[in-house]
């Protein structure tokens, strides 16, 4: 279902609070549990988002990602624990005025033009971002006069990204923001997200494109069954997979290779052997000593996908 930008409640034009101190969290979930009847969506989950940070929240379907985002937006309440944004209740109008979001929840009216959608959302905020800035950041130049119904899937996503920016928010939540975009538009979106973080904005990203999380996130939080199973930089998360892959041509016996320290798997693909090992350099040294004719050697770092599957499939 297409995404929709999150609009705050209409409120008075009081002055915007100052941005949180650099090391203080912009938003937190503190030991939050959320139940829907007999189903526990979040189970004692705690997280913190800080200024200038891009955080990717990853997990399989049903892991609790959408519930966590909805709690931070004040759309639902926790069963136990607390959600806080800018030190306040996420439901407060003054807090909502500092949040922008794209959610996979509903459709926008198809009969409004792009410019009309932007004007409407800008009217919700006391100090909206200038129209020309929204158009530039969201790459909407040339389509402002078109009806929403006339746009491609990627163009609609860019409009929704623009709507999320209308209030010049300090916290931006993006749920699958690049769905339907071509490669050029996706890379352009990534650059704009990085620029927002460079300006001190906090971005919470949920995505099934693990390449996107790897390219953008300063920190990744992996959740499964309502709990955090891993947290760290993309490099740290990837290092927690089964290890790096050693690809080569060798006459060494596969069963012998499986006995080497830190080796977790060995596979043969035609004339190529692929060894997965936690300490790849040590394994390669042994292999070279034992097989002087070893050739076509390549060592590949683990992909985020490998780590993600390792972290979530066995839990």
């Amino acid at each position: 279902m297409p995404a929709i930008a999150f609009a705050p409640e209409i409120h008075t034009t009081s002055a915007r609070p100052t941005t949180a101190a650099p090391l203080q969290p912009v938003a937190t979930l503190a030991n939050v549990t959320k139940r829907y009847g007999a189903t526990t969506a979040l189970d004692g989950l705690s997280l913190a988002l800080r200024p200038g940070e891009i955080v990717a929240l990853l997990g399989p379907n049903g892991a609790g990602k959408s519930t966590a985002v909805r709690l931070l937006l004040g759309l639902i309440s926790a069963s136990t624990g607390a959600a806080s944004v800018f030190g306040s209740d996420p439901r407060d109008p003054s807090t909502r005025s500092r949040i922008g979001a794209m959610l996979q929840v509903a459709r926008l009216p198809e009969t409004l033009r792009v410019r009309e959608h932007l004007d409407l959302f800008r009217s919700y905020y006391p100090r909206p971002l200038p129209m020309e800035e929204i158009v530039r950041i969201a790459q909407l130049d040339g389509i402002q006069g078109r009806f929403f119904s006339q746009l491609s899937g990627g163009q609609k996503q860019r409009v929704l990204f623009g709507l999320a920016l209308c209030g010049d928010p300090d916290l931006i939540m993006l749920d699958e923001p690049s769905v339907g975009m071509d490669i050029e538009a996706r890379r352009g979106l990534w650059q704009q997200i990085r620029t927002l973080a460079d300006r001190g904005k906090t971005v919470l990203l949920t995505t099934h494109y693990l390449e996107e999380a790897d390219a953008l996130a300063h920190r990744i939080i992996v959740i499964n069954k309502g709990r955090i199973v891993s947290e760290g930089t993309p490099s740290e998360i990837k290092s927690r997979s089964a290890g790096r892959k050693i690809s080569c041509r060798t006459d060494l016996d596969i069963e012998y290779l499986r006995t080497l320290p830190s080796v977790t798997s060995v596979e043969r693909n035609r004339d190529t052997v692929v060894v997965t090992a936690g300490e790849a350099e040590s394994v390669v040294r042994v292999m070279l000593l034992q097989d002087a004719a070893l050739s076509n050697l390549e060592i590949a770092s683990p992909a985020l996908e490998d780590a993600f599957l390792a972290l979530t499939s066995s839990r």
Side-chain angles (χ1 to χ4, degrees):
M1 195 176 291
I4 183 168
F6 173 75
E9 297 174 5
I10 297 175
H11 50 78
T12 61
T13 56
S14 57
R16 173 178 294 184
T18 57
T19 303
L23 297 180
Q24 294 301 310
V26 165
T28 61
L29 294 178
N31 197 28
V32 165
T33 295
K34 178 61 180 178
R35 300 184 183 90
Y36 298 97
T39 301
T40 300
L42 294 179
D43 187 5
L45 184 140
S46 295
L47 60 80
L49 310 176
R50 292 179 172 80
E53 211 181 19
I54 302 173
V55 177
L57 185 62
L58 305 181
N61 290 334
K65 303 185 299 296
S66 295
T67 298
V69 170
R70 288 169 65 82
L71 281 163
L72 291 171
L73 289 173
L75 299 177
I76 56 175
S77 299
S79 301
T80 61
S84 175
V85 179
F86 305 117
S88 301
D89 189 321
R91 294 169 293 185
D92 289 347
S94 60
T95 300
R96 286 188 166 183
S97 71
R98 300 176 66 189
I99 302 173
M102 292 169 61
L103 298 180
Q104 301 287 327
V105 293
R107 295 181 181 275
L108 282 179
E110 300 278 339
T111 54
L112 289 180
R113 299 180 189 274
V114 171
R115 185 182 299 105
E116 292 171 329
H117 278 300
L118 296 174
D119 280 336
L120 176 62
F121 271 74
R122 290 180 73 251
S123 72
Y124 295 141
Y125 298 93
R127 290 203 299 264
L129 200 63
M131 176 72 78
E132 58 272 19
E133 274 295 285
I134 298 170
V135 169
R136 181 187 62 80
I137 296 171
Q139 306 170 79
L140 301 177
D141 190 42
I143 65 171
Q144 303 98 307
R146 296 175 62 181
F147 289 107
F148 193 74
S149 61
Q150 297 174 332
L151 304 180
S152 68
Q155 289 171 332
K156 288 181 177 179
Q157 286 297 100
R158 299 208 303 270
V159 171
L160 296 168
F161 180 54
L163 295 180
L165 302 178
C166 281
D168 193 16
D170 296 311
L171 173 60
I172 306 161
M173 303 191 195
L174 304 176
D175 185 13
E176 305 289 349
S178 65
V179 169
M181 290 186 180
D182 59 29
I183 294 175
E184 182 179 1
R186 179 174 294 137
R187 295 301 170 92
L189 173 70
W190 291 359
Q191 185 54 51
Q192 293 304 327
I193 292 173
R194 293 187 186 104
T195 300
L196 289 168
D198 289 342
R199 292 173 52 203
K201 311 293 187 181
T202 302
V203 180
L204 179 62
L205 171 73
T206 64
T207 179
H208 283 97
Y209 295 136
L210 297 185
E211 177 194 6
E212 187 164 75
D214 199 1
L216 287 176
H218 299 118
R219 184 161 53 99
I220 291 174
I221 300 173
V222 183
I223 65 174
N224 193 25
K225 298 179 181 178
R227 296 182 177 182
I228 293 177
V229 296
S230 192
E231 181 176 354
T233 67
S235 295
E236 289 169 342
I237 296 294
K238 287 184 285 188
S239 72
R240 294 166 194 167
S241 69
R244 288 187 286 172
K245 294 186 182 298
I246 305 162
S247 175
C248 63
R249 291 185 180 182
T250 179
D251 293 329
L252 292 173
D253 182 71
I254 286 181
E255 293 305 319
Y256 166 72
L257 293 172
R258 287 177 176 146
T259 67
L260 296 179
S262 84
V263 170
T264 57
S265 71
V266 182
E267 300 174 359
R268 183 179 291 278
N269 183 9
R270 297 183 181 178
D271 58 349
T272 300
V273 171
V274 179
V275 179
T276 303
E279 301 292 338
E281 290 83 357
S282 299
V283 173
V284 167
R285 281 195 290 269
V286 173
M287 293 175 68
L288 289 170
L289 286 172
Q290 298 296 324
D291 182 5
L294 185 148
S295 62
N296 291 12
L297 175 64
E298 294 181 4
I299 303 176
S301 296
L304 184 57
E305 180 179 357
D306 298 325
F308 177 80
L309 291 174
L311 290 166
T312 59
S313 61
S314 62
R315 297 173 186 268

